[in-house]
Structures are given as C-alpha cells and as structure tokens.
Amino acid sequence: MTSLALKSLWARKVRAMTTAFAVVIGVAFIAGSYILSDTIFAAFDEIFSESLSGTSVVITAKNPVEQDNGEVPTISASLLQQVQKTPGVKLAAGAIFTPGGFFDSKGEKIGSKFAPKFISSTLPGKLEALKYIEGHRPRGPTEASIDKAAAEASHLELGEDIELIGQGSAKKFQLVGFTQLGSASFGGTSIAQVTLPVAQALTHKVGRFDQISVAAVDGVSPALLKRRIAAEMPSGVRVETGTESADRASEEIRDNLSFLQTFLLVFGFIAVFVGSFLIFNTFSITVAQRVTEFGMLRTLGASRRQILSTVLSEAVAIGLFGALVGIAGGFLIALLLNALLEAFGVDLPTTSLVMESRTIVVSLLVGVVVTFVSSLIPALRSTRVPPIAALNAFVPTPSRRRRLIYAGFSILLGVAGLAMAVAGLVGGGGAGTRAGLIGAGALVSVIAVSLFSPRLVPPLATVAGWPLERLRRLTGRLARENAQRNPSRTAVTAAALMIGLALVTFVTVFAAGLKSSVATVVDENFAGGLVIQNSDGFSPIPNGTATAARKVPGVESVATIRSAQAKVVGSGAGARVTAPTPNIGESLNIEWKQGGPEALRGLGDGQAILSDSFASSNGLEAGDSFRLLTQTSKRPSFEVTGVFDSKLNVLGSVLITQPVLARDFSQTQDTIDFVTTESGADAATVQAILTKGVEVAFPTAEVLNQEELKESREEQVNTLVNLFYALLALAIVISLFGIANTLALSIHERTRELGMLRAIGMSRRQVRTMIRYEAVITALIGAILGMILGVVFAALIAQPLKDEGFTLSYPIVSLVALLVLAGLAGVLAAILPARRASRLDVLESLQYE
C-alpha cells in the first residue's frame, strides 16, 4: 500500500505540492526562528569569549537585581592594589564598560535607535580584546576610537570629531582608531574606547571600576588564581575565571532574550496551525473525489485498514517532504526575520547561521505530526463507504445525530476555552502559567468556533453575498449558493483566514485601546508644561539636564523622577522604585487612595508611598513596613505613608526620596523631567530655547510638549503593532493559498456543472466573476468570524487592565478596512482558479464524469 500511496501522490503532483506548501511555510518559519535565535546566541557567545580571551580572572560586583537599562554595580578602585599584590598575578587593570551615547560631528546619532552603545576604557597588554584594524589606541584625553562597523554605518573617517555622552554633558573627541572584536557582527551595538580616566569622568565613576581584569603568570591556572583573589575580596564582590564570566554573561543573555525565540516561535506555530486547515480541507476534498478509486480497491480485496494506511502514508510523505524543504527554507526565513527586526530598529549581533540538531528534530516532528493529524479525519472517512456504494461515487452526508453531537461538542469546547482564558486573566500563579492558560483558551476557542462554523456558513454567506447579488444578480447568486453548497468545506476554508483576521483584529483593537488610554492618561494626569526624556523613550538622561533646564528664561520649576528596579525581601516580587522631587505634584495630577499631597511633600528617608496594585499584591497599607533588596545588595526598610492610583505608570510602584535612591540603589540619573513654565510665558518659545540649549549639551535628551509626548508614545505602540502585522502576514498568505487551493479542487469536481453553465450561455467572464465572488464570500465569512473572535478576546484581556487606566477603543474605520481588504484578498486568491474555470472546454466538460 505504500507504493500505491506514492504512485497516487505522483499522479496528483500539483495537488500534493499545494498541500505541502502549507507545511513548508510553517516549518520554515519555525526552523528560521530557531536558526536566528541560535545564531544570535552564538554571536554573543563568541563576543563574550573573545572579549575575555586574554583574561584569566574577572572581578565585578554582585548584581542581585538586574536593571532595565543594563547598568551594573561598580567596585572600588582601591581593590586593584590588593589584586596586584596577590601571588600569581602577572597583570591587573581596572576597566569601565558603561552604556552611553554617540553622535557624529553633525549631531546625528551613531548606531540604531534601540541598540546599546558602550563607553569603554583601554586595557594594557593582552587584557585588551579589541583589535585596532585602522589607526591607534586613544592616548590622550581628547582621543577616542570606535568599532569599524559603526564607523562604516555612519560614514565616519579617522580624524573626524565625534561626541560621547555618559552621565554628564557631551564631550568632543577626535577619532584616532577603528576597532573590531572577533568575527561576529555587533548588530547595532557599538563600542567607543577612551582612556581609563576619561571613561571614569564621562560615566561619573571616578574612583570606581565596572570590573578588574587579571592575567595570570605562566604556570598558574585561572581556577587557582581565582581562589587566591577571592580570599582577599570583601563581600559583595564576585570573582570568576574568564571562562566562567563569559559563560555567565552568555547565559544571562540567553535568559534575557529567550522571549525573542518564544515570540517568533508563536508566529511560526500560528502559521502551522493555519496550514493544518489547508491540509485538512485538501485531504477532505481529495478523499471525496476518490471514493470510486477506494471502492474499486475495496472490491478487489483491500481492507479498511489498508485504505486508511494508504491515505495516511500519503500524508506522512507530504509532511516529510514539506518538513525537509521547510528546514532548508528556514535559512532564508532567518535572514528575512533578521532583516525585519533590523527594519524595526532591533539590530542584534549575528554570526554565520547556526543549525542545531534540535531545530531539525522539532521541524521534522512538526511537519509530519501536523500533516498526519490534519489528514486523520479525512482518512477515517475514506474507510466508511461500502464498496458497492463507492463504485457509484456515493458520498454519505453526515447524519442529523452526528451534526448535533458536533454542535454540542463545539459549544462545550467554546465554553471551556473561554473559562481557561478567564482563569488565566484573573487567576493566580506565575506570568508563564497565566499566559499559557490564556493561549490555550484562545486555541480551544478557535477550534470550537471552527467546529461550529458550518452552521454559521449559510446565514453569513447570505449576508456577505447580498451586496454581490444586488450588484451582479445571477452571477452573485450562483456564487453565494456555491459557498453554501458544502458548508463544512467553506467553513474549514474560511477558518484559516479567520485565525489570521482574529489575531489582526485583536492587535488592532488592543493597540487602539492602548493609544487611547495613553492619550487619556497624559491629558488627565499631566498638568501641562514640558517633558524632557531620553530620545529612545526609556533610558535615563544625564542628571545635569534638569539643572540646565532650570536656568532657561520662562521656566518656573523642574520636577525630576529617578528610578531603579528592586525586589521585595521575603517574596522576591519585583518592584519599580521611583524617587520624585517633592514638587512633582505641580506637574502630575496624582489620585490618592491613602495619604495625600502632604505625604509626598513630607516624605522622609525611611518612608515610602505605594501604588495601589503593589500594596494590594503585597498585602501592605499605610503604617506597615517592608524591606527591599537593591542592586547594591543593600536591604533598606520603609514605612508606608500613602497609597496612590497605579494607573499613572510613570510613578512606578514604590516612591522614595532621591537621597535614598542614590545611597542604597546607586542611581543618580533622571528617568524623566517635568518642566513647568511661568504664568504668561509662551510655552513654544520656552520649548525652543530648551531644545536649543539642553539638546545640544545633552544630545540623548529631547524636549516634548504634551501633544508630542502622546505622539511619542503612540509611535512606540505603532512600531510594535506594525511588527505584529508583518509577522502575521505569513499566516494570512497561507489562508489565502488555502482559498485558492479549495477553489481549484472544487472546480475539478464541478467540471460538468461549469460546462453546463457555459453551454446554456454563461460567458467566460461571468464564470471568472462567479468564482471570484465565491472566493470573496468565503473570505468575508472568515473575516467576520475572525473579527468577532478578535474583539471578544480584546475585551476579555482589557478587563483586568481597567484598574491600570486601560480603556478599550474600537477603531471602526480600521475594522471596516480589514473587511474590505479581506474581500480584495479573496479576489486575489481566486485569480488562477477563476482563469482555469473559464478556460474549460465546453464539450469535454459535458462529457466529464
């Protein structure tokens, strides 16, 4: 039977290839996601390994709480002398490696917007990992080098001036060298190197190091030297061999970027899930068209099991072929995904593409298993027709009892899916568990709607086909009746598009609500004036920015906010700690739950004000005490003196004083500054002066008014939404291919009918129009169902976010545009099937059996 299955596939090569297409695309996306993420991880491994190739031991501060901006605690420069005296130390030097900002002589930013830039100090001897491929190392206080990739991207030349900015104002340097680290691409990341004293001054780390690098004398192992140095170091200091440090850094990157692999794989599995509907529909139609063939085999002695194994063997062969081609296509998808991320400003380090054995195994399993499962029901259906009935091409219709069972099962499944989604939204447990419940609930709900959708096809086809009937009368009516003729087939075809449109609708509605909520929060809570923030929208700004702003004519006051990440001692829960100046109430309208403005103005060093969500989740209220673990390993205690509404996310979850943030959290940079203008002063003029002065001295900062702040936040949302749209496009393409495939197969079985229509006077153009309209109706059915699902899930997910100030918004114009685009997509999918139908020979069609 295996040879029969292969001969059957060969006899239907085009049909088999169209079915394999869905497998190829889905598997290629999954393989590409793995290849890209593994390549990025390999690049980081190479970068960290290369950067410590000449280092035996690395000494850094322990970092119990990671910060959003990537800053790490420093160690005292006085430790260097102690290290140098340790037996076995050949060479030891302190180093600075801290995030900063780079600008060319025209003030243009060097590197991509979201990629980090690091100010690095030079190291002596073999401790220096950067290779100078042009020019020389910085030798004086006004010289700097930069990596070759960044120089080429920004068209920089040796001798040209650049500006570097750390925690102070920008400083000019002359480019004297171009560097390179290993063979891996840095992506958008760039490194500017200066001398150690200059690096310490730029980053405000005079008397401090980010790390101490040590080289051992010949004959002393890194492990032995590590033990000797560790015995001399105080608590809070971490001593590692170079290999251990590189491995730890690589592992931290893998943990921090694991979301990227998961994020991409989600879209890959969406593509596979959509493709499974195409496979199911194709096998359903082909099985129905081969009942005579199966009947002949049954009369010749083939058993039900042999018929079943034949169909399933075909499915496995298609799945295996599609998976193998998909694995090869994964390399192309990896390149396309990397280009897509770069286009959206996410430029990550890469090296030569990496294919892990895990990628091959997972891809093969996905391709074969999905194809096998998708074809199982049609295969079982092929065994249920008696031989004599099959010889007469008889295909039994589902009984009323079976239809009722399907309907009842789909309703129960839908209820279960919604219950799982609700449990994930309002239940306890970790974020991963809750996200898994929501995802599983959504998947189950989609399957439920797909099972129930055959009952919805007739009314939805009537609604979708009504405008076409009014427009083209008979042609539109025939198209509508064709869509209603086999509700199950139409439903499965539409289901593939339904999934894609459901996700697009969800993203569209949720993004509209997010932008609307941001605008509302800005309007209701910002008391006017101007805002100074980092141009990337999230990094800190130099603490001299506020001082400069206060000197601008027309500025009445400047309120600043600084922030850091911490953990609650005992529970380990994360906390975003912010430290505003006491006059923050002049710039922000804060809604108080306990306490009031006086609590903020009189906030002491041992006191804290909490957001209502943080207080509720940690069981705290006014008068209670709690402790936080800081980045510097300190554990300060605080008494709760007030609670505010958490919907104003700019204030984080815990408010403390700025002196405490500097002392215990080692954070002195502002996150955002609020500028209040004097009464009668022209805000536009003040902003112009601020922009000219502040942005020149501190080019990482930007000055925005209230409307520009809203536009900035909306732009960030739009960037993410457009990325989602781009990744979902693949699922849409597969669903449209499914419509085209179903139409092509249905035209094959309707050959005699089409010949009859041509014989009684229907023109080729009318045949093409009828097929196109049928595709439009099918596409609109999927779009309508998808929109309903997308809106329902957006409304569900919005419920627990209401307390944070989120309000759902329904962009009617965008949703109508999606319906129109779905109809146009249906026309596009029907081009080839319609052309084929119109070219059928009338006489041959009338004789077709």
Side-chain angles (χ1 to χ4, degrees), residues 293-565:
E293 173 191 333
F294 292 144
M296 180 66 71
L297 291 172
R298 290 294 308 282
T299 56
L300 292 176
S303 66
R304 292 176 183 268
R305 182 176 181 181
Q306 288 175 313
I307 297 294
L308 178 65
S309 64
T310 299
V311 178
L312 292 179
S313 296
E314 292 179 20
V316 169
I318 289 174
L320 185 59
F321 172 78
L324 291 173
V325 176
I327 291 171
F331 289 100
L332 176 61
I333 294 295
L335 295 174
L336 292 175
L337 286 174
N338 189 51
L340 178 65
L341 292 175
E342 287 181 7
F344 283 91
V346 184
D347 194 0
L348 295 166
T350 55
T351 183
S352 55
L353 295 178
V354 176
M355 172 70 80
E356 299 280 357
S357 57
R358 174 257 289 130
T359 303
I360 298 174
V361 173
V362 171
S363 299
L364 286 173
L365 284 175
V366 168
V368 173
V369 171
V370 167
T371 311
F372 181 87
V373 172
S374 300
S375 64
L376 185 58
I377 293 178
L380 290 171
R381 195 178 296 156
S382 68
T383 67
R384 293 176 182 153
V385 182
I388 300 301
L391 288 174
N392 293 313
F394 169 73
V395 181
T397 58
S399 64
R400 184 172 182 273
R401 179 185 176 188
R402 181 172 295 176
R403 291 198 301 269
L404 289 175
I405 291 174
Y406 279 171
F409 178 70
S410 62
I411 292 172
L412 290 174
L413 206 60
V415 172
L418 288 175
M420 291 169 68
V422 171
L425 290 169
V426 302
T433 302
R434 296 176 64 184
L437 276 173
I438 294 172
L443 178 64
V444 171
S445 298
V446 167
I447 294 174
V449 173
S450 302
L451 290 174
F452 191 77
S453 58
R455 290 177 170 267
L456 302 175
V457 165
L460 288 176
T462 300
V463 173
W466 180 81
L468 301 178
E469 284 191 63
R470 300 283 294 179
L471 180 67
R472 296 300 295 269
R473 301 293 179 183
L474 179 61
T475 306
R477 178 183 174 184
L478 288 173
R480 189 257 302 166
E481 289 177 347
N482 286 336
Q484 293 174 318
R485 178 186 301 180
N486 192 328
S488 295
R489 180 184 302 176
T490 302
V492 174
T493 306
L497 186 60
M498 174 189 74
I499 298 167
L501 262 294
L503 292 167
V504 170
T505 301
F506 170 79
V507 171
T508 302
V509 173
F510 197 78
L514 191 57
K515 288 187 282 188
S516 174
S517 301
V518 167
T520 300
V521 168
V522 171
D523 290 335
E524 291 181 352
N525 296 282
F526 284 65
L530 304 170
V531 169
I532 305 176
Q533 65 174 17
N534 194 296
S535 56
D536 64 17
F538 59 89
S539 297
I541 53 179
N543 49 15
T545 307
T547 303
R550 292 187 180 99
K551 299 176 182 178
V552 172
V555 171
E556 180 177 325
S557 64
V558 178
T560 68
I561 289 180
R562 299 172 182 175
S563 64
Q565 296 296 319

